[in-house]
Amino acid sequence: MTNTLDRLTKNIQETEQVIQNVKENFAQLGLPDFVAEMEIGSLNKRLQKLKKQYEIASEYSNKEAMQLKFHPPGLPSGQIPVRTLTLVLGGLQQVVDSIANSLYNQPSAHGPIPSEILERNSLILKETKAGSFEVKLEVEHSQQVSMGDPMQTQTMNELFKLFNSSDIAESLVDVISDLGPRTLKHYKDWTKNLKELETEVEIEWRSVRGQSKVVFNHENSDRIYKILGDISDTVEAEETHYGRLTGVNVRTKTFEICLPSGERISGRILKDTVAVAANLLDKKCMAVLIKLHTCYRATGKEKTSWTLKEVQEHDYS
């Protein structure tokens, strides 16, 4: 997270210097102070925005936080049914676990999620408040062992990417397809509970990346649930392909392989395969891939996602 704080510090210092230069230039010209203030108004707004970003980034440099605000019908401020609280928070944790499993294990509906992933992405209830009913959840960053954002930041980023894509059917289908059938199932179950509970839930994520906020109510939860229900069951298969590994991004854990036919396949790399793949860049390889194929029945749109499970050097010519 140091890179983010360093970048913001540099931007703040540069903006302050520009403001100072403008003031000095106007003073040398003998112009009134209010003229300079008019000129630097937008710069001051940028400076305040950068300082706010730095404040948030500093506070959440070692953790992710979510603030949930519930609006249960028929109850006074500060009260919430236990059933509502457990269904919403429990369902949210299942979606988070499924996304982390897709990113750091495999996007499969089968088999248990490794305990390490569950432990490192366990949301901790830190605080409750009255005012409708508010809950603060946090998850601390695990120790960094590779480049890029911590596991928890990447997981939350994918969670809110999913939430923010849910307003448009095709965007939702694209994002959920990449996250695998387990995430599809749990997100579908969660939105079903939200619409049946008829409780509006506001969710705000605070991170070193900044802030993001979404609102779920009966109407949009029902619409999301119906879209997810119109996605055919994901067909999962394991395939072996031979080709040249033409791209590996260690930070984003993505790959590209070019087959002898000229076809290019790209997608995610399993965590344990990243280092191996990085050492085989631009070499002929045998790759074991997990293929996920989904179809959105409403439009007939199909989506295929790939995950690199294993790779080894192989001269197939």
Side-chain angles (χ1 to χ4, degrees):
M1 296 300 98
T2 303
N3 289 339
T4 299
L5 293 175
D6 289 346
R7 175 179 56 81
L8 288 169
T9 299
K10 182 180 178 181
N11 289 342
I12 288 170
Q13 292 173 344
E14 289 176 346
T15 304
E16 287 176 334
Q17 185 60 54
V18 171
I19 291 173
Q20 183 61 32
N21 291 343
V22 170
K23 287 182 176 180
E24 290 176 357
N25 290 338
F26 273 75
Q28 290 175 1
L29 293 172
L31 297 174
D33 290 342
F34 78 88
V35 177
E37 292 298 328
M38 290 174 61
E39 289 294 325
I40 65 176
S42 61
L43 289 170
N44 277 325
K45 288 181 181 179
R46 169 178 165 75
L47 180 60
Q48 293 309 311
K49 183 177 180 181
L50 287 169
K51 287 183 176 180
K52 182 64 176 178
Q53 289 174 349
Y54 184 89
E55 180 184 331
I56 294 172
S58 298
E59 183 178 356
Y60 298 102
S61 60
N62 297 310
K63 63 186 177 183
E64 307 296 313
M66 281 194 288
Q67 189 86 17
L68 281 74
K69 184 180 292 185
F70 296 80
H71 300 276
L75 286 177
S77 175
Q79 295 185 18
I80 190 170
V82 172
R83 185 183 305 278
T84 297
L85 188 63
T86 54
L87 283 175
V88 174
L89 296 186
L92 180 62
Q93 181 69 74
Q94 287 183 315
V95 176
V96 169
D97 292 341
S98 301
I99 291 174
N101 186 60
S102 293
L103 296 178
Y104 289 90
N105 183 32
Q106 57 182 3
S108 172
H110 308 293
I113 298 176
S115 59
E116 178 186 15
I117 291 177
L118 295 177
E119 290 169 5
R120 289 186 174 184
N121 292 278
S122 180
L123 301 171
I124 305 301
L125 180 60
K126 301 290 289 188
E127 186 180 324
T128 61
K129 294 180 181 179
S132 296
F133 188 86
E134 297 183 28
V135 170
K136 185 176 182 180
L137 307 175
E138 289 184 0
V139 56
E140 292 187 358
H141 294 163
S142 50
Q143 185 176 359
Q144 284 287 87
V145 293
S146 61
M147 295 176 60
D149 291 328
M151 171 191 290
Q152 295 76 17
T153 304
Q154 293 189 37
T155 300
M156 289 296 156
N157 185 59
E158 289 295 324
L159 175 68
F160 274 77
K161 180 180 175 183
L162 174 62
F163 287 166
N164 290 322
S165 72
S166 297
D167 287 337
I168 303 173
E170 291 195 355
S171 297
L172 175 56
V173 174
D174 278 341
V175 174
I176 201 75
S177 298
D178 288 338
L179 295 174
R182 195 192 305 253
T183 306
L184 170 61
K185 176 187 181 303
H186 287 309
Y187 192 39
K188 181 180 176 183
D189 291 345
W190 189 63
T191 52
K192 179 176 183 288
N193 285 331
L194 286 177
K195 79 182 185 71
E196 291 178 349
L197 292 168
E198 296 190 351
T199 296
E200 182 177 293
V201 182
E202 301 174 28
I203 308 177
E204 182 178 6
W205 170 39
R206 289 197 167 198
S207 167
V208 70
R209 290 188 174 206
Q211 297 170 263
S212 185
K213 183 177 179 179
V214 293
V215 178
F216 291 92
N217 53 39
H218 176 80
E219 288 74 20
N220 61 18
S221 296
D222 182 51
R223 180 177 50 76
I224 294 168
Y225 174 71
K226 288 177 180 176
I227 293 171
L228 297 175
D230 213 17
I231 298 175
S232 64
D233 293 335
T234 300
V235 178
E236 180 182 338
E238 192 171 287
E239 298 184 358
T240 300
H241 289 274
Y242 299 88
R244 186 177 295 277
L245 196 60
T246 51
V248 175
N249 189 316
V250 175
R251 187 180 65 82
T252 60
K253 299 179 179 64
T254 54
F255 78 95
E256 180 187 77
I257 187 169
C258 183
L259 308 185
S261 64
E263 179 186 357
R264 294 180 182 272
I265 296 175
S266 61
R268 288 197 173 103
I269 312 174
L270 294 188
K271 179 189 67 172
D272 294 338
T273 307
V274 173
V276 178
N279 290 326
L280 295 176
L281 183 60
D282 204 33
K283 294 182 179 179
K284 290 183 176 181
C285 300
M286 178 185 74
V288 179
L289 303 169
I290 300 172
K291 179 182 180 181
L292 297 175
H293 184 79
T294 59
C295 178
Y296 181 44
R297 287 186 288 258
T299 62
K301 180 178 180 178
E302 298 183 354
K303 174 75 180 292
T304 299
S305 301
W306 299 90
T307 301
L308 181 60
K309 182 179 180 181
E310 299 173 16
V311 63
Q312 63 185 45
E313 190 171 1
H314 189 283
D315 188 358
Y316 51 83
S317 56

